[in-house]
Amino acid sequence: MSDTPLSRTDTGSTRARAVRRASVLTALLATTVLACGTASDKDEDEHSTSPSPTATSGAALGGTSADARIEQVNETMRKTPFSGIGTTTAFDEGLQEIRWNPSQGLHIKLVGIGGDMYCKDGVTYTSADLLAKSLGSKGVQITVPDRLDDTYVTTESGQGCEAYFAVPPGTFAPDKDTEIEGVPAQAVTAASGSTSDVYYISEEDPARLLKTESTRDGRESHTTYADFGKEAGIVLPKADQVMTMEEFREEVDAG
């Protein structure tokens, strides 16, 4: 694929490249990988009071299944403010800082890479520079005009923002059980094709996701969650900073 910025010439091939790039942009937004770092899990949470799994049996007390425990974890995380920090499989270097406030949304800031992303009510706002870098990591080069430096591109996922950190269906892996910052953690594994993840969830209530280890096409990342119950203010981009994916594509076409 050509590295030449989009232009008005050669309309047919240019438009085809633009459409492909728009499709890649949408796919990248849908598969954003979150960060990893160090957790502090001492805060108590009042949302989950269901029985907890044992650390070695691969099943919860009272016969609760892995999927039932995962549902408890996802419910707690959806309702509880938290933060996280760490690496990402999307890039070879840099960190991602995550903040989640159920009433205000999600913010992911890429440190050392540049760019950030917000999500609120199922709408994702991604900075133009991050979109360009994400495309570049996939071998698709675009040039973002200077006038779009402070622009955020929106996409609608059709699901809540908690999808960015939710634990998918998986199975207990007792051989991987461990402690995260002194908290007993039960491992849940999930894999598909070249993607594999290990989710470390709290053995005891409150039900929380403590850490994630991810592999995407040979790249690895480690995500740890912290500051449960501590609300951080999240302010979405202003209306005059926002455009749709189609509007962004047309602006890039225009050069």
Side-chain angles (χ1 to χ4, degrees):
M1 186 171 293
S2 172
D3 292 342
T4 304
L6 299 179
S7 66
R8 292 295 186 183
T9 62
D10 192 13
T11 303
S13 61
T14 296
R15 180 60 59 181
R17 288 196 300 270
V19 171
R20 286 197 298 272
R21 286 170 178 174
S23 298
V24 175
L25 285 170
T26 302
L28 286 169
L29 291 178
T31 57
T32 297
V33 181
L34 302 187
C36 68
T38 305
S40 175
D41 310 299
K42 306 295 190 274
D43 300 330
E44 291 300 322
D45 184 88
E46 62 184 5
H47 297 300
S48 178
T49 57
S50 302
S52 301
T54 63
T56 58
S57 67
L61 292 174
T64 303
S65 67
D67 285 347
R69 184 57 175 176
I70 289 169
E71 184 177 350
Q72 295 168 5
V73 168
N74 286 339
E75 179 69 5
T76 299
M77 298 294 284
R78 183 178 66 82
K79 294 180 178 180
T80 305
F82 62 80
S83 65
I85 188 172
T87 57
T88 168
T89 57
F91 299 98
D92 291 328
E93 57 185 16
L95 298 173
Q96 291 185 102
E97 296 179 347
I98 310 164
R99 295 185 301 159
W100 166 247
N101 184 327
S103 64
Q104 296 181 343
L106 177 73
H107 180 209
I108 304 174
K109 181 178 180 63
L110 283 92
V111 180
I113 298 170
D116 54 1
M117 186 191 82
Y118 295 85
C119 184
K120 180 72 165 62
D121 297 331
V123 179
T124 297
Y125 305 75
T126 305
S127 61
D129 56 342
L130 178 56
L131 283 181
K133 291 169 184 174
S134 297
L135 281 171
S137 72
K138 299 294 184 181
V140 181
Q141 304 299 325
I142 66 170
T143 297
V144 178
D146 291 344
R147 65 181 180 278
L148 301 182
D149 281 349
D150 297 324
T151 297
Y152 288 80
V153 183
T154 62
T155 56
E156 295 190 26
S157 66
Q159 53 189 335
C161 299
E162 61 269 19
Y164 283 102
F165 52 81
V167 181
T171 58
F172 287 130
D175 59 312
K176 297 181 182 293
D177 290 352
T178 187
E179 289 189 354
I180 308 296
E181 292 290 312
V183 177
Q186 192 168 38
V188 172
T189 59
S192 176
S194 62
T195 296
S196 63
D197 300 305
V198 182
Y199 298 87
Y200 295 95
I201 61 178
S202 57
E203 176 189 343
E204 301 175 352
D205 291 326
R208 291 172 175 162
L209 173 61
L210 305 176
K211 183 176 181 179
T212 303
E213 296 176 349
S214 300
T215 301
R216 302 283 188 278
D217 296 321
R219 289 183 172 183
E220 297 181 351
S221 71
H222 303 274
T223 304
T224 308
Y225 301 92
D227 299 327
F228 296 102
K230 298 181 181 179
E231 291 191 1
I234 296 174
V235 180
L236 297 179
K238 298 178 181 178
D240 60 1
Q241 294 178 282
V242 173
M243 64 175 53
T244 65
M245 182 70 74
E246 176 64 21
E247 291 169 337
F248 177 72
R249 182 175 63 81
E250 292 177 352
E251 289 288 333
V252 172
D253 271 352

